[in-house]
Amino acid sequence: MTIYNFSAGPAVLPREVLQQAREELLDWHGSGMSVMEMSHRGKEFTGIATVAEADLRELMGIPSNYKVLFLQGGAHLQFAMIPLNLLRGKPSADYVNTGEWSKKAIGEAKKFGGVNVVATGADRNFSYVPAFETWQCNKDAAYLHYTPNETIGGVEFNWVPLLDNMPGAVPLVADMSSNILSRRIDVSKFGLIYAGAQKNIGPAGLTVVIVRDDLIGHVLPGTPTMLDYKIHADNDSMYNTPPTYGIYIAGLVFQWLKRNGGVAQAEQTNIAKARLLYDAIDSSSGFYNCPVDKSDRSRMNVPFTLKDAALDESFLQQADARGLLQLKGHRSVGGMRASIYNAMPLAGVQALAGFMNEFARQHG
Ligand SMILES: Cc1ncc(COP(=O)(O)O)c(C=O)c1O
């Protein structure tokens, strides 16, 4: 039976990538060593890291005045590193609150400076993206932080906030943990983009930060060395031992994406995959429900509930029996959630949509 893993993260990786990693596990390219055993300063590994960075730059069209950093600590550590590095003597930063991950970022930023929540979806239980016209942005904010895809709530921005992205203007900061590389974006509109790797990039333990170079080098006094972007930038992410195996796998994922038409093709497939699931929900005559406004529904994480929560267990059991795994919703919201990142094949989503239709027919 084919297994399809709908986990929100750590999540499914491309099968081809795992097969290649298996082939190369004991002996990487005739080196006689596993990548796990290599010095991060040796020519083999520095080559792997250089190619991984170049491929990511190509896939995302990252301009040359941006640094690409391969760090650790997950997106959670970025919630702290961003204010530590980007407040740059300013008293406060702007944050948009669209759900659970925004709230976490806001909570951490408050430890280092003022936080102005310029828009919130709290009035409707975070089921939508507040319209840009309603945002109460501050011209003197150190930066504006938002979460383009709320992994738990399934709320995704289909647009990028229009800020002036010149040095001196308010830089846009985005937590792209759960939708990086899933759709085309113009990196030059952002001051900083960050993402934990474990959804669309590779294994947990690697965090990617893309930051405009004029924004680094201004940390708050007393900032620990390891939390200073400039230290990592000046040392090509090798100030200390980086997560070498994670970088290697991420590099294989980037090559896989390049072989398969890059981000533009991934985006088309993601649109098709998401449509299949939302169609299954919307055509179920209320058997399934997705609480998110149609215009703001995530292409990556599809949360839905069953009309009768008493059927949840049997839905999950039958899905499991067909190899459709990890569909249980986040503990804070219940119901179901299907995460359909880049590496989830269309066939997996077709299988899930087929099962949902059948289950609704049987129990509706
Ligand atoms: C949007 C978003 N931000 C932050 C996090 C937290 O990431 P980490 O566990 O890598 O700190 C996650 C998920 O894990 C996420 O989906």
Side-chain angles (χ1 to χ4, degrees):
M1 178 171 62
T2 310
I3 295 294
Y4 293 112
N5 169 13
F6 294 91
S7 167
V12 59
L13 283 164
R15 205 165 174 75
E16 276 173 48
V17 164
L18 294 177
Q19 280 162 345
Q20 188 177 346
R22 179 177 63 187
E23 276 155 29
E24 297 178 346
L25 182 66
L26 299 183
D27 179 7
W28 183 83
H29 295 200
S31 63
M33 278 180 277
S34 173
V35 174
M36 265 182 267
E37 304 169 300
M38 290 174 181
S39 163
H40 57 296
R41 305 201 188 279
K43 69 173 184 334
E44 289 94 347
F45 185 74
T46 50
I48 288 171
T50 305
V51 172
E53 179 182 332
D55 285 342
L56 182 62
R57 282 184 178 278
E58 184 183 328
L59 282 164
M60 293 183 70
I62 300 173
S64 58
N65 63 325
Y66 284 71
K67 302 286 186 197
V68 173
L69 307 177
F70 293 137
L71 307 180
Q72 303 186 53
H76 275 89
L77 190 55
Q78 294 312 307
F79 296 161
M81 281 178 78
I82 286 160
L84 282 168
N85 284 264
L86 264 53
L87 278 170
R88 295 166 295 140
K90 301 209 176 201
S92 65
D94 285 354
Y95 277 74
V96 178
N97 184 2
T98 48
E100 294 308 312
W101 293 114
S102 304
K103 287 188 225 168
K104 282 257 185 130
I106 289 167
E108 196 68 3
K110 282 183 175 164
K111 296 182 175 171
F112 306 103
V115 167
N116 293 309
V117 176
V118 299
T120 173
D123 58 329
R124 284 205 280 122
N125 200 22
F126 299 105
S127 58
Y128 73 107
V129 173
F132 187 53
E133 300 73 56
T134 66
W135 296 14
Q136 308 281 318
C137 295
N138 297 289
K139 284 199 170 55
D140 57 350
Y143 56 87
L144 184 145
H145 178 284
Y146 81 118
T147 311
N149 185 59
E150 285 282 357
T151 321
I152 296 174
V155 170
E156 184 170 15
F157 283 70
N158 280 307
W159 44 276
V160 173
L162 233 190
L163 302 188
D164 175 8
N165 195 31
M166 299 297 286
V170 177
L172 185 61
V173 173
D175 174 0
M176 289 195 193
S177 293
S178 51
N179 70 350
I180 193 166
L181 292 166
S182 71
R183 54 165 69 220
R184 284 161 302 159
I185 53 149
D186 180 353
V187 174
S188 73
K189 290 186 171 154
F190 296 84
L192 186 149
I193 292 169
Y194 65 102
Q198 64 272 20
K199 300 161 200 298
N200 256 337
I201 295 180
L206 167 67
T207 312
V208 173
V209 174
I210 301 163
V211 56
R212 211 177 66 208
D213 54 15
D214 62 288
L215 295 174
I216 63 177
H218 318 279
V219 282
L220 285 183
T223 297
T225 309
M226 278 293 288
L227 304 190
D228 183 346
Y229 291 132
K230 187 159 179 4
I231 295 286
H232 295 289
D234 288 351
N235 291 280
D236 295 326
S237 303
M238 304 232 185
Y239 174 73
N240 74 322
T241 315
T244 52
Y245 202 73
I247 293 171
Y248 158 70
I249 299 285
L252 297 187
V253 171
F254 300 152
Q255 284 167 18
W256 170 80
L257 265 176
K258 281 176 60 178
R259 281 197 303 278
N260 289 282
V263 176
Q265 183 54 51
E267 179 171 10
Q268 290 313 310
T269 310
N270 288 331
I271 290 170
K273 289 186 310 192
R275 188 173 298 140
L276 274 175
L277 289 192
Y278 289 117
D279 280 353
I281 293 166
D282 294 339
S283 64
S284 69
S285 309
F287 185 83
Y288 301 111
N289 178 54
C290 170
V292 181
D293 282 8
K294 282 191 179 167
S295 55
D296 305 327
R297 286 173 166 181
S298 171
R299 292 178 188 163
M300 295 284 99
N301 312 95
V302 181
F304 60 95
T305 51
L306 276 60
K307 190 165 63 179
D308 180 1
L311 289 171
D312 283 4
E313 260 325 297
S314 119
F315 179 94
L316 287 167
Q317 269 171 18
Q318 289 187 34
D320 259 43
R322 290 167 183 235
L324 306 169
L325 307 186
Q326 309 268 354
L327 285 164
K328 198 174 165 72
H330 189 268
R331 58 188 184 282
S332 64
V333 285
M336 310 296 155
R337 175 175 49 167
S339 295
I340 50 175
Y341 301 117
N342 284 349
M344 170 57 65
L346 183 63
V349 180
Q350 285 166 335
L352 175 56
F355 166 66
M356 286 170 68
N357 291 335
E358 196 181 311
F359 190 87
R361 267 198 307 276
Q362 278 166 7
H363 299 275

